[in-house]
Each structure stands twice: as C-alpha cells, then as structure tokens.
C-alpha cells in the first residue's frame, strides 16, 4: 500500500512537471492544447473535464460544478487564472463554454432523472393517471380501456390489473419513458409491442421497458453515456436526450432479444446483461453516438 501511494504521488508530480515543460515549449496551457488539437465532441469535452478536475487549482476543480447561469463568468475566471488574453484567443472562450455547458448539463440531467426515479406513482394524482391512460391510448388506439383497474393492462405488458405496482423500481421515470416512446415514435412502439406478443419471443413489453429504463439510468449515473451525449448535444443534454436514448435502447434490445433466440423469458437476465455489455463497449469509443432517431420498422419476426 505504501509503495502504491508513493508511486501515485510520483506519477502525479511527474505529470505536472511534464505539463509545465510542454507549456513553456508551446506557449499554451493544457486547456488551450485540448481545444486547439481535439475536435468538438466527447473527446474534447471529456479531456477538458479531466483537466479541470485534475487541476491543483480549487477554482478550476469547482468550475465543473457551477450553476449554468454562472458559466460565462467561470470562463472569464479560467482565462484570467491561466493568463490567457481573450482578445488574442477568442475561440478558446467559445470552446470552453460549450464544454462546460455539456459537463454541467450532464450533472443536472442526472439530478433531474434521479428526481423522477424517486417519485412514486400516485393513483390519486390526476397527472399521473392521465399519463398512464395516454400510454394505453398510444399503444392500443383501437381498443378502448374498459376500466382503470382491468386485466387489459396485461395486453401491453404489465403484470396485473393495476400498473401502479409495477412502477415501484423506477418510479415515474419508467412511466415517462414508456409514454415518450409510445408518443414520440408510435409506429415503432406499436410494432415492438406486437412482436413481444409472439409466442416464440414473448416478453412483457411494459415490464421490459421499465427494466431498460433501469439500464439507461445506470449508464447515465456511471458516466458511460457522456460519450453519447457529448457527441449529440451541442450544449447541455436534456431529459429529452435521455428519453430518446431510452427509445433507441428499447428498440435495439428488442432486435437483440430476437437475434439471441432465447428459450423462454427465464433467459431475460442473461440476454440483458449481454446487451448491456455490448452498449458499454460501444460507448468506450469517443466517437460513438447512439442514434436516438430511428424510423419505424417492419415486423422483425417472420410470422
């Protein structure tokens, strides 16, 4: 343990000495070198984030945690601290601002998603009930719901006659995502639902949607989705970006499930874990952008 601690501080000191030498040779600080030599997107933003967090300056370390309204002033503080003339380097401020908007936005998105996840479904809340009924109407427009408490809910993949009990794991976040999928890309959602009822590949659409919400949530809080969001969101990633990502993951998992040709639903955890690892591997590529836009597909199953 002592040797590891010594090696850590040695490498840290060596790295700072190297940065000092490079600055003297190039006349540019690390932030300048990143912005000038790395194209916009995840590669640049993640390097800027690591540089700020790893700085010996507390002001730079805390710059990734500022309020969005304070970003412009934070950029001015960074330029002053690094002794960079904004008149000579006007593009640097613009590049840093774009990166900070993404970094701060990602942190705020986690907070927003977490708030929804922690809010339980309340059948006494008219807004919650309205969203649940909208889900049914989007997925089954030609089949009126006969009663709020009904076995019909099983037709779209809930476990019982009252869906409120199925949202406990992901709270309102699960409902928000399912409704967004059903409303934003109705044809795809209806086709996925139809395919999920096929006896050979049968699974519960709504329950799997809540499970994929959990998968998307874990990708978000672990930081794995930074690659995707920093590549697709020019400024701060929003809840809409997260919901579009859920739609993509739901659609891709559906295709993956069929390709895996599971024996039955008991293989769900195995297939889910394999799918999760595949997405993680894709997100390790700094150029990766999970496409949130997909056209409605024809049935994936040869009936």
């Amino acid at each position: 343990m002592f040797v590891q601690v010594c090696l850590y501080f040695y490498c840290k000191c060596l790295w700072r000495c190297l940065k000092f030498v490079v600055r003297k040779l190039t006349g540019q600080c690390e932030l300048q070198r990143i912005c000038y030599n790395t194209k916009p997107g995840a590669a640049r933003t993640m390097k800027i984030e690591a540089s700020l967090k790893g700085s010996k300056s507390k002001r730079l370390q805390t710059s990734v945690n500022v309020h969005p309204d304070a970003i412009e002033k934070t950029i001015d503080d960074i330029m002053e601290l690094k002794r960079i003339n904004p008149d000579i380097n006007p593009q640097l401020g613009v590049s840093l601002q774009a990166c900070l908007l993404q970094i701060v936005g990602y942190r705020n998105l986690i907070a927003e998603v977490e708030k929804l996840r922690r809010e339980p479904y309340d059948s006494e809340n008219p807004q919650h009930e309205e969203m649940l009924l909208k889900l049914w109407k989007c997925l089954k427009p030609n089949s009126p719901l006969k009663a709020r408490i009904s076995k019909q809910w099983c037709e779209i993949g809930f476990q019982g006659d009252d869906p409120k009990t199925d949202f406990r794991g992901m709270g309102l976040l699960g409902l928000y995502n399912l409704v967004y999928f059903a409303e934003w890309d109705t044809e795809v959602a209806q086709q996925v639902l139809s395919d999920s009822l096929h006896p050979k590949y049968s699974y519960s659409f709504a329950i799997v949607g809540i499970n994929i919400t959990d998968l998307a949530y874990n990708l978000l809080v672990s930081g794995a989705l930074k690659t995707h969001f920093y590549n697709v969101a020019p400024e701060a990633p929003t809840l809409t970006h997260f919901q579009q990502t859920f739609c993509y993951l739901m659609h891709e998992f559906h295709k993956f499930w069929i390709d895996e040709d599971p024996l039955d639903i008991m293989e769900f955890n195995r297939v889910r874990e394999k799918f999760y690892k595949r997405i993680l591997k894709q997100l390790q590529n700094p150029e990766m952008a999970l496409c949130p836009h997909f056209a409605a597909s024809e049935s994936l199953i040869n009936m």
Side-chain angles (χ1 to χ4, degrees):
M1 175 63 75
F2 177 75
V3 174
Q4 289 178 327
V5 171
C6 290
L7 184 61
Y8 168 76
F9 283 106
Y10 172 76
C11 292
K12 194 171 184 179
C13 291
L14 184 63
W15 173 244
R16 285 180 174 169
C17 289
L18 180 61
K19 288 204 301 183
F20 176 79
V21 172
V22 173
R23 170 153 194 172
K24 289 298 181 182
L25 291 174
T26 63
Q28 297 177 342
C29 70
E30 185 177 41
L31 296 176
Q32 287 175 292
R33 296 194 300 274
I34 293 172
C35 287
Y36 295 152
N37 299 322
T38 310
K39 68 179 183 179
R44 176 190 286 181
T45 302
M46 292 174 79
K47 286 180 181 179
I48 291 292
E49 186 173 13
S51 178
L52 292 172
K53 287 182 176 180
S55 173
K56 62 182 179 181
S57 167
K58 289 292 182 182
R59 287 171 66 186
L60 293 185
Q61 291 175 15
T62 57
S63 65
V64 298
N65 298 316
V66 299
H67 189 276
D69 294 340
I71 287 179
E72 193 170 333
K73 182 182 183 306
T74 301
I75 298 300
D76 292 338
D77 292 342
I78 292 174
M79 301 283 274
E80 180 183 354
L81 186 64
K82 290 294 185 178
R83 297 176 185 152
I84 300 171
N85 188 333
D87 296 327
I88 300 176
N89 303 273
Q91 187 57 40
L92 179 63
V94 175
S95 298
L96 286 176
Q97 184 173 8
C99 291
L100 269 186
L101 281 169
Q102 290 182 319
I103 294 166
V104 172
Y106 192 92
R107 184 202 67 203
N108 291 341
L109 176 59
I110 290 177
E112 185 177 5
V113 166
E114 184 64 32
K115 183 179 179 181
L116 285 173
R117 189 185 73 86
R118 289 178 178 271
E119 185 174 353
Y121 183 89
D122 182 3
S123 58
E124 300 299 318
N125 187 317
Q127 291 182 331
H128 295 188
E129 287 287 285
E130 184 181 349
M131 287 187 67
L132 182 59
L133 293 176
K134 180 188 285 187
L135 177 63
W136 176 270
K137 289 176 183 177
C138 288
L139 293 174
K140 306 278 285 185
N142 300 319
S143 300
L145 190 66
K146 296 177 182 178
R148 166 62 181 81
I149 308 298
S150 169
K151 288 294 183 183
Q152 283 181 280
W153 290 111
C154 296
E155 296 176 20
I156 62 172
F158 286 104
Q159 292 179 322
D161 56 7
D162 191 350
K164 71 176 184 180
T165 58
D166 292 327
F167 292 116
R168 284 175 293 193
M170 284 284 108
L172 276 188
L173 184 63
L175 178 58
Y176 266 61
N177 279 350
L178 284 169
V179 171
Y180 187 88
F181 184 31
E183 189 175 32
W184 180 75
D185 210 320
T186 307
E187 190 173 349
V188 171
Q190 289 176 351
Q191 186 63 65
V192 171
L193 172 61
S194 176
D195 291 348
S196 73
L197 299 174
H198 189 280
K200 180 173 174 56
Y201 302 103
S202 177
Y203 64 80
S204 300
F205 175 89
I207 297 302
V208 168
I210 294 170
N211 200 290
I212 296 301
T213 293
D214 176 70
L215 185 147
Y217 167 79
N218 285 318
L219 289 172
L220 178 72
V221 297
S222 70
L225 277 179
K226 285 182 179 180
T227 306
H228 167 63
F229 287 142
Y230 290 170
N231 281 327
V232 300
E235 294 185 347
T238 64
L239 182 61
T240 299
H241 288 111
F242 179 77
Q243 291 175 313
Q244 288 178 348
T245 303
F246 163 78
C247 293
Y248 170 82
L249 292 172
M250 188 71 177
H251 190 235
E252 288 299 301
F253 177 79
H254 177 65
K255 293 190 292 184
F256 190 79
W257 175 262
I258 292 172
D259 289 342
E260 284 292 300
D261 194 17
L263 292 175
D264 52 40
I265 195 62
M266 298 304 293
E267 288 202 74
F268 178 80
N269 287 337
R270 176 190 67 80
V271 176
R272 181 194 186 276
E273 184 63 21
K274 188 175 179 180
F275 176 74
Y276 181 70
K277 289 179 179 178
R278 190 182 79 163
I279 296 297
L280 275 179
K281 185 176 181 180
Q282 291 175 350
L283 290 170
Q284 289 173 359
N285 177 5
E287 303 291 324
M288 185 62 190
L290 301 174
C291 180
H293 307 290
F294 47 86
S297 65
E298 296 180 357
S299 175
L300 296 168
I301 302 171
N302 184 1
M303 302 296 285

